[in-house]
Structure formats: structure tokens, C-alpha cells
Amino acid sequence: MRAIAETVINSLEDDKAEEIVKIDLQGKSSLADVMVIASGRSARHVASIADHLAQTLKEATGRPVKLEGMPNADWVLLDIGDIIVHLFRPEVRSFYNLEKIWADDSAHGHA
């Protein structure tokens, strides 16, 4: 699982995602163990990051990734089982402010 999380972070960094935050959800949520939140500069950038990440994860895990929020790409969700990735346009991200909801001392950036 840690390797998949690293794959996610590396793919996001390669695609110039901004403000990448990884939040440990173990013991806090039954949905996933890790949540990753990142921003793209525009809807097109978010869509591009999501497409590439889904492809990278499919190659890494051998399983298709559930992708929600396309083609609008204001907020795209990738469900990788134990890991959930949220990709936002910046203004949408600040509106929903997921970091504040989920994070406490466990949130730390990777960018």
C-alpha cells in the first residue's frame, strides 16, 4: 500500500500537480487508509493529471481505477481501494476545504 501511495505522489509531482497533501486516515475512516489531495491549474490540467494517474495505477496494480468527476474536472476522485485521491481546480479545492475536515497533526505536504 505504501508503494502505491508513493506511485500516486510521484505521478502527481511528474504532472506538476500543486499543493500535494497526503492525509493518513487509518483509524479515522472506513473508506480508505490514505487520502491524497492535489490541485491542477485548470480543468484541463486536472483531467490530464487524472487520466495519467489512472493509467499509471492500472499498470502498477493490474486493476482499473474508478474515476469520478470527468469530463468536468472541477473535482476528480480516483478510488484505489485503500487510497482515495482528490484532484481539484484551486477555487473548488478551497471551497470544499477537505484538508480542514480530515486533517489534524497527520497531514503533511509532499511538494
Side-chain angles (χ1 to χ4, degrees), residues 20-95:
I20 302 168
V21 176
K22 180 179 158 195
I23 301 172
D24 184 353
L25 297 179
Q26 284 184 313
K28 295 184 196 177
S29 171
S30 57
L31 297 175
D33 292 335
V34 175
M35 179 184 294
V36 178
I37 304 171
S39 297
R41 294 180 302 278
S42 64
R44 180 176 285 167
H45 187 215
V46 169
S48 166
I49 294 168
D51 273 339
H52 183 239
L53 181 55
Q55 190 60 44
T56 300
L57 289 166
K58 186 176 180 186
E59 288 165 14
T61 65
R63 297 189 313 258
V65 175
K66 201 161 84 178
L67 202 61
E68 295 176 23
M70 303 283 260
N72 255 4
D74 289 336
W75 175 1
V76 177
L77 172 80
L78 292 90
D79 185 346
I80 316 151
D82 292 333
I83 303 170
I84 293 176
V85 182
H86 296 275
L87 300 172
F88 290 102
R89 284 191 304 110
E91 56 274 27
V92 178
R93 179 176 180 168
S94 61
F95 178 78

